[in-house]
Structures are given as structure tokens and as C-alpha cells.
Amino acid sequence: MLTDGVALTDHHCHGVVAADLDRPGFERLLGEGQRGTFDSAIGLAVRRWCAPILDLEPHADPERYLARRAELGWRETTTRLLRASGTTRWFLDTGFGGGRAEFAAVAPGEVREIVRLEQIAEQVIAEVSIATMPFEDIETTLRGRARNAVGLKTIVGYRYGLNFPVTDTLPSTIIHELRLTDPATLGWLVGLGARIGAEFGLPLQFHTGFGDTDLRLQHTDPLLLTDFLHATAGSGLSVMLLHCWPFHRNAAYLAHAFDHVHLDLGLTIPYVGQRAAAVLGEALELAPFRSMLYSSDGYGLPELHYLGARLWRRGLGRLLDEWIADDAITLADAEGLVIAIARGNAVRTYP
């Protein structure tokens, strides 16, 4: 396939669990609900595609797979799977799942940091008195972290929704929450991130679409960002819409309509398993090829980092084979599209 052997830049991922896992521990990380399961599309994908990386036959049963994983140990398992992904650059969201140094110790290639806005704000707020209005401290700390980062990230979709108030105005008060949910504070924080992102040339990533039960899916449709995108158009900011499913067609429309909008499918790809080519095709119906990026959004299990890459290669390769067979695209254009999504668009948009 055209995608075989192409080096990847994973522009959004998380760290791995540095411990051996029993079946309940493994399955908890194999889904976004209260409990994942091998009895799912992603469970089938683990057994089919990850098993050979651990020297097992394809479709090894769960018990044999987990026994082999235990034999190798978490570090050897992780090293094998991350290396097999063909990823040479990793942009790590350190707000969830561990720090850069820990991941760099097991991941091949370059590891850069994505700074999470809410984590910075919550850390600063936790260190000041209730009477203090720490807006300057939040900005100073965020600017300091941004200087060594490759991008910024917000989970406002989790904390309130993507219909947050678009404002540059400081809130009249700040609620000293260990977990920020106040819409006025979140709106100001996202606006601050947008300004710093434009100033430093750092893309601002938004979690959109599905995730764990901490979010309300109806509040994470990227179309809710339309006012924010109008406000930031022409500012120099690049906006990254992450994951997107089941709103990936809506995200593709926004990338079509706004030059500064980009998207990925992230963890959607391994979770839909055999349907990866269909979902990629739906996103590429409207999204300009220059706006699509690759990511795994792998977290906890290195299987997710590997499957993100393996099923992206397989899905996009099969889709392009179909386009070439139908004379919808030339081989040269197809090769260019693969390189753009695999790493070229990330090289162009990230510092």
C-alpha cells in the first residue's frame, strides 16, 4: 500500500501505563466507558494486529495475548508496539497520562510537549488564596510553559462544552475550583490560549466528539465553535479539531470553510477498527487535504498508539487504492496526499 513505510508525526497522544496489567486493568483502558472489553471492534483489532508484534499468531485469544504481554513485561511490550507504529515524532499532551521524559524513555524518535490550558490554570489557582485573582499568574505560567512547547490544548468540551463564551474580558471573579467548570473563566482561558498560540505560532487543540463519560457528547460538536472560529480567523492561530467522531463530517465542513482549521480522527481510527477506511473517506469528502493530520490519541496502552498507526495506514491505503482504480486520483497525487497527512501538514503548522 502507498501508506506502508511512511514515517508518521503523531500530533496528539498521551503517555502509557508503566506497569504490568491484569485483564480488568487492560480492558479498563480499552474503551471510553466504565469498562472496555475485548468483545468489540477495537478488541478484535488488538488480537489481529498487535498479537504478531508480540510473536503471537493473528487473532490470538485474549488470555493468550495477555499472558504473552505479561511474559514480555510492560516495557518490552511498549517498546515493540511504539517502534512498530513507524512514528518518528510524538506530540504529547502532558495534561493527562504522564510527562514527556517518561514517554521519551520508551518511545523512538522526538517527543515534544502539548501544554493543557486547564491543567496550568488549576495548578496556579490551587497555589493561591481564595481572595486572590490569579489571572496574571496564569498568563505568566502559561507563557513560560509555551516557550518550550509545540502546541496548546483545551478540554473545555469536557468542562463546559464547546459553546463557551467567546471573550477576552477578565471575569469579574474567579471560582477557586480544583476542576475548572466556570464558563466565564473557561472562556477567558481559551481566549488567552488563542492569543498566546497566535503570538508563539503554536496551534490550539480542542477535544471534540466522543470521549469518556465525563463529557456530554451533544456539547462537543465542533460546529459549536463557529463563533470562536470567526473571532480567530486571520489572527495567525491554527485550530486543531481532535477525534471528532461522530461529528467528523461537521469538522470537515469547518476545515473547508475556515483556512485556519485542521482536523484529525485520532482515537476514532482504532475504535472503529475495520471501518477506518469508511470514516476516513467521510472526513475527506469536504476537508481540504492540507487540513487533515494524523494522530493516534493513544493513552495508557501502547496498543492504542500502534493501532492508530496500523489502521490509519490500512484504512487510507485501501481508500486510495479504490480512488486510483476508479481513476479519481493519480498515483503522484495519492502519494502526496499520504505524505501530507502523515507528517507534512504537521511540519507546516507546528513550530
Side-chain angles (χ1 to χ4, degrees), residues 15 26 63 86 95 98 108 110 129-130 134 142 147 150 156 188-189 213 246 257 259 284 293 316 348:
F26 185 91
E63 290 74 19
E110 178 187 17
S129 70
I130 293 178
L142 184 56
R147 294 186 190 282
V150 73
V156 66
W188 169 80
L189 182 63
T213 55
D259 288 343
L284 289 171
L293 283 78
L316 186 60
R348 182 170 51 81

Side-chain angles (χ1 to χ4, degrees), residues 83-321:
R83 185 186 302 121
S85 74
T87 303
T88 58
R89 300 181 78 205
W90 313 81
F91 297 169
L92 192 75
D93 175 1
T94 55
F96 183 65
R100 192 190 69 81
E102 295 87 347
F103 191 71
V106 292
E110 178 187 17
V111 180
R112 300 287 303 279
E113 183 182 28
I114 300 289
V115 174
R116 186 178 289 200
L117 303 182
E118 290 80 9
Q119 181 192 43
I120 298 296
E122 288 163 354
Q123 288 174 346
V124 172
I125 292 170
E127 294 170 358
V128 301
S129 70
I130 293 178
T132 302
M133 300 285 283
F135 298 114
E136 289 187 6
D137 292 338
I138 292 172
E139 180 167 355
T140 298
T141 303
L142 184 56
R143 285 180 174 276
R145 287 285 296 277
R147 294 186 190 282
N148 296 312
V150 73
L152 306 174
K153 160 85 179 289
T154 175
I155 55 167
V156 66
Y158 268 91
R159 298 302 178 79
Y160 176 75
L162 298 180
N163 57 334
F164 58 89
V166 179
T167 179
D168 292 335
T169 303
L170 291 175
S172 57
T173 185
I174 190 165
I175 300 173
H176 281 64
E177 301 174 296
L178 295 178
R179 181 180 182 278
L180 277 180
T181 59
D182 175 57
T185 304
L186 287 167
W188 169 80
L189 182 63
V190 174
L192 174 63
R195 294 193 301 277
I196 292 175
E199 179 183 341
F200 284 54
L202 302 178
L204 177 57
Q205 301 180 346
F206 283 82
H207 179 102
T208 72
F210 83 120
D212 62 40
T213 55
D214 192 32
L215 60 72
R216 299 296 181 266
L217 186 60
Q218 69 271 27
H219 297 156
T220 62
D221 185 335
L223 289 180
L224 296 171
L225 289 170
T226 302
D227 288 345
F228 173 83
L229 297 177
H230 277 290
T232 54
S235 69
L237 179 69
S238 293
V239 173
M240 301 288 169
L241 306 177
L242 306 178
H243 324 319
C244 301
W245 189 94
F247 309 117
H248 48 289
R249 280 174 157 155
N250 294 358
Y253 158 74
L254 293 173
H256 176 89
F258 293 93
D259 288 343
H260 65 312
V261 174
H262 304 73
L263 73 152
D264 70 22
L265 293 174
L267 203 57
T268 299
I269 296 298
Y271 272 101
V272 301
Q274 189 70 9
R275 291 280 297 165
V279 176
L280 279 161
E282 288 169 353
L284 289 171
E285 289 167 350
L286 276 187
F289 301 155
R290 59 177 169 72
S291 69
M292 179 79 78
L293 283 78
Y294 166 75
S295 84
S296 68
D297 191 35
Y299 161 71
L301 301 176
E303 283 84 351
L304 301 180
H305 298 76
Y306 171 69
L307 287 174
R310 183 67 182 84
L311 294 176
W312 177 86
R313 294 179 192 278
R314 188 166 184 266
L316 186 60
R318 293 175 71 181
L319 179 66
L320 290 177
D321 283 349

